[in-house]
Amino acid sequence: MIIHHIDAFTAKPFSGNPAAVCLLTHPKVGTWMQDVARELNLSETAFLLRQSDGYNLRWFAPMAEVDLCGHATLASAHMLFETGGARRDEPIRFYTKSGLLTAGWRDGWIELDFPSTPAVKADPPAGLLDALGIEGPDYVGRNDSDYLIQVASEKIVRHLSPDYDVLKTVPARGVIVTSRSESDQFDFVSRFFCPSLGVPEDPVTGSAHCSLGPFWAERLGKTHLVAYQASPRGGIIKVHAGMERTYLSGEAVTVCTGELVV
């Protein structure tokens, strides 16, 4: 089986969010896939199995399987388009725990059709704001997976230094922190922390933008947005936000390809 190491939501190697993509030759049990993901130790490893009209797709972080992952889906589509596993003139169909997802080729960018996951205003759990070093947030919300926190400035977002041991105890997949962008190039910036999955800070998180898209569309009064995730690696996501579906567009680059021999 071939494994592809792909940097997603970037056009430059060694930036964006790295994902491993493994094209399975036959079905594998979840425990084996979890072992491979832990061994590779990237934020996500995607496992693809060919179906009659698309691919079964599962995502594993080093510590657990996840229900939705944007950057590993983007990496999977990139690999299929680049290797001839899919045609660029028709969308790829992925069957996942989050239902049917599609990926289409758009002039060098890949557009993902994902479910929207808007946040609802909520009180932060004890210790969350202290763990982030945030005082007086502009907004705290929660969806089924994550907390979403808006702060006053991009400077606050970029200079966060969380206490990851405390964040591990937060009853959520992860925590999104966001603000308006101070650059004319982007509409908003964010960072995403999910130490409970073995990923202290995720470099660029597509699934988080399924919540960020509706959030900022409402506040900025427009549905087409350009986002920057301000992790040390950084990455760009184009977001077309709706209440039911969110469309995420990004670029990707293959860094290396190898053979899984066990």
Side-chain angles (χ1 to χ4, degrees), residues 171-218:
R173 178 189 68 159
V175 179
I176 309 162
V177 183
T178 186
S179 76
R180 292 194 185 199
S181 174
E182 296 170 4
S183 164
D184 293 337
Q185 187 178 359
F186 307 110
D187 293 294
F188 64 89
V189 299
S190 68
R191 291 172 70 187
F192 183 73
F193 308 102
C194 51
S196 64
L197 295 179
V199 185
E201 179 170 4
D202 195 39
V204 194
T205 316
S207 59
H209 286 75
C210 295
S211 181
L212 287 163
F215 179 82
W216 283 111
E218 180 181 354

Side-chain angles (χ1 to χ4, degrees), residues 1-5 20-29 32-33 36 40 45-50 79 256-262:
M1 287 178 283
I2 302 300
I3 290 183
H4 304 263
H5 181 126
V21 180
C22 181
L23 185 59
L24 300 174
T25 56
H26 56 278
K28 287 286 191 177
V29 297
W32 180 87
M33 288 187 270
V36 172
L40 297 175
T45 299
F47 295 90
L48 294 167
L49 183 64
R50 179 76 190 184
M79 182 275 290
C256 63
T257 301
E259 183 181 359
L260 185 65
V261 298
V262 294

Side-chain angles (χ1 to χ4, degrees), residues 5-174:
H5 181 126
I6 295 166
D7 289 343
F9 292 116
T10 182
K12 300 185 301 181
F14 316 124
S15 60
N17 200 351
V21 180
C22 181
L23 185 59
L24 300 174
T25 56
H26 56 278
K28 287 286 191 177
V29 297
T31 52
W32 180 87
M33 288 187 270
Q34 187 65 72
D35 285 342
V36 172
R38 185 171 56 250
E39 182 77 10
L40 297 175
N41 200 34
L42 297 175
S43 56
E44 300 290 345
T45 299
F47 295 90
L48 294 167
L49 183 64
R50 179 76 190 184
Q51 305 295 317
S52 60
D53 63 342
Y55 292 86
N56 180 270
L57 172 59
R58 295 174 71 177
W59 311 279
F60 287 79
M63 300 295 292
E65 185 174 8
V66 300
D67 292 335
L68 185 66
C69 178
H71 87 277
T73 306
L74 178 67
S76 298
H78 169 82
M79 182 275 290
L80 293 171
F81 284 134
E82 291 294 309
T83 62
R87 295 171 47 176
R88 293 183 178 180
D89 60 350
E90 58 186 34
I92 306 171
R93 299 168 64 88
F94 293 117
Y95 296 94
T96 79
K97 286 192 170 184
S98 291
L100 174 65
L101 309 176
T102 63
W105 182 266
R106 302 286 185 272
D107 298 323
W109 289 63
I110 296 170
E111 182 182 78
L112 308 176
D113 178 353
F114 269 35
S116 295
T117 57
V120 177
K121 192 172 182 179
D123 293 326
L128 173 57
L129 297 181
D130 287 341
L132 293 166
I134 293 173
E135 296 181 4
D138 292 350
Y139 173 89
V140 178
R142 178 75 155 82
N143 62 21
D144 289 342
S145 299
D146 308 312
Y147 279 95
L148 189 155
I149 300 171
Q150 180 190 0
V151 295
S153 71
E154 181 174 332
K155 182 178 179 180
I156 295 173
V157 174
R158 289 182 176 272
H159 287 83
L160 290 173
S161 183
D163 184 330
Y164 293 117
D165 289 334
V166 176
L167 286 187
K168 283 181 182 179
T169 68
V170 173
R173 178 189 68 159

